[in-house]
Amino acid sequence: MSSGDLIKFLGTAGARYVVSRQLRYSAGTLIRLGGQNIVLDPGPGTLVRLAKSKPAIAVTTLDAIILSHGHIDHSNDVNVLIDGMTDGGFKRRGRLFAPGDCLEGENSVVFHYLRGFLDEIVTLKAQSDYRQGDIRVSTSAPHDHGTETYGIILDHRGTKISFMVDTRFFPELLASYECSAILVINLVRDRPHESGDVRHLCVDDAREILKAIRPRKAVLTHFGMTMIRAKPWVVAQQLSDELGVDVTAASDGMTLELH
Ligand SMILES: [Zn+2]
């Protein structure tokens, strides 16, 4: 990693209640790595949070957008970002990485008229490798989340930065994230939902994940209401103390410098 590399959590909201009330911003995550500017999962407000960042991040400097899945809190701003990053199509540039469900079929989320504005649209498949500049972009095994969903693993010069996005926990999930130096976990719930039917991670899942993977640094984000009530920074501290792993709870606008 080189100087200037960072992850900026433009928003940290997960799930409907927190997103719809904007208790936390629902913007996506900016990753600046190896000279590439990548936005992962541009939820509602991503364009606004880029523009209002200090210093502002010009949408025209984005090189790639990655969608892990098509849920609205992950994809709402994809169209306006494509329009922005290409100057309304006047400057053909940039790439979009997205699972097939985001691109074709009744739940596709990318307007057809914008697609030709991009240099390339890459359809993500499970456990596959792609490139963006000198970053290897890999997908995890399919997540259990009700729609086609992949975690995203970025490998830059041998350092793995992984984004374990929305999923229900299952033991086979772990293999995709082995050897992550930095692991970002979408931790929506404090406890499992009573119905057993909510396909999101809870704190007990995060504990199992961190015990198994032991990244150099873990960041929790994408909080639903039960996590907001539990105070994410308290949960992070408890996990750090218990496991001896450096765990941080993201806050809106938090920048993690990578060096
Ligand atoms: Zn989702």
Side-chain angles (χ1 to χ4, degrees):
M1 287 175 282
S2 47
S3 74
D5 289 350
L6 56 82
I7 303 173
K8 190 173 177 75
F9 296 86
L10 298 167
T12 57
R16 193 164 298 115
Y17 191 95
V18 177
V19 172
S20 62
R21 287 158 184 78
Q22 290 291 289
L23 301 177
R24 296 260 185 138
Y25 296 142
S26 52
T29 301
L30 175 79
I31 302 141
R32 186 171 288 160
L33 190 60
Q36 299 288 311
N37 282 325
I38 301 169
V39 168
L40 172 66
D41 285 348
T46 301
L47 181 68
V48 174
R49 297 324 316 166
L50 286 168
K52 298 292 182 190
S53 264
K54 291 190 173 62
I57 299 157
V59 68
T60 48
T61 64
L62 299 184
D63 300 295
I65 302 167
I66 305 176
L67 303 182
S68 68
H69 66 295
H71 285 160
I72 198 162
D73 53 331
H74 295 255
S75 69
N76 184 79
D77 274 16
V78 65
N79 289 300
V80 76
L81 288 192
I82 295 171
D83 190 73
M85 73 195 273
T86 62
D87 262 329
F90 283 104
K91 279 198 195 112
R92 185 179 160 143
R93 57 185 293 279
R95 298 165 90 206
L96 171 68
F97 298 83
D101 275 3
C102 292
L103 300 170
E104 301 304 332
E106 59 184 8
N107 291 318
S108 76
V109 295
V110 183
F111 292 149
H112 280 268
Y113 81 90
L114 293 170
R115 296 183 183 199
F117 295 5
L118 293 159
D119 273 339
E120 192 181 4
I121 297 178
V122 178
T123 304
L124 295 176
K125 304 255 191 283
Q127 292 171 291
S128 301
D129 297 331
Y130 310 90
R131 290 207 79 79
Q132 175 65 31
D134 63 354
I135 304 167
R136 190 175 72 196
V137 178
S138 306
T139 51
S140 69
H143 279 194
D144 180 359
H145 191 50
T147 187
E148 188 181 6
T149 305
Y150 305 115
I152 303 296
I153 299 114
L154 306 178
D155 187 328
H156 185 237
R157 298 181 185 160
T159 301
K160 276 172 81 171
I161 303 170
S162 302
F163 295 84
M164 187 185 283
V165 301
D166 298 357
T167 185
R168 185 207 299 269
F169 181 77
F170 54 100
E172 299 75 21
L173 183 65
L174 297 170
S176 297
Y177 297 93
E178 277 172 1
C179 306
S180 298
I182 297 172
L183 178 64
V184 179
I185 302 177
N186 283 12
L187 182 52
V188 174
R189 296 194 55 84
D190 177 22
R191 281 178 252 272
H193 195 264
E194 310 78 65
S195 68
D197 205 32
V198 171
R199 296 175 188 206
H200 279 298
L201 299 173
C202 68
V203 173
D204 286 344
D205 300 327
R207 183 179 293 108
E208 291 311 306
I209 292 160
L210 292 171
K211 257 191 219 167
I213 297 173
R214 301 197 69 82
R216 198 168 75 216
K217 177 157 195 83
V219 181
L220 313 177
T221 187
H222 209 62
F223 306 121
M225 198 56 218
T226 62
M227 271 302 295
I228 300 284
R229 283 204 200 96
K231 301 189 175 73
W233 59 95
V234 172
V235 172
Q237 186 63 54
Q238 284 168 348
L239 289 170
S240 291
D241 292 346
E242 192 181 325
L243 304 172
V245 173
D246 176 359
V247 186
T248 300
S251 53
D252 289 344
M254 185 182 93
T255 299
L256 179 67
E257 313 234 358
L258 304 172
H259 44 65

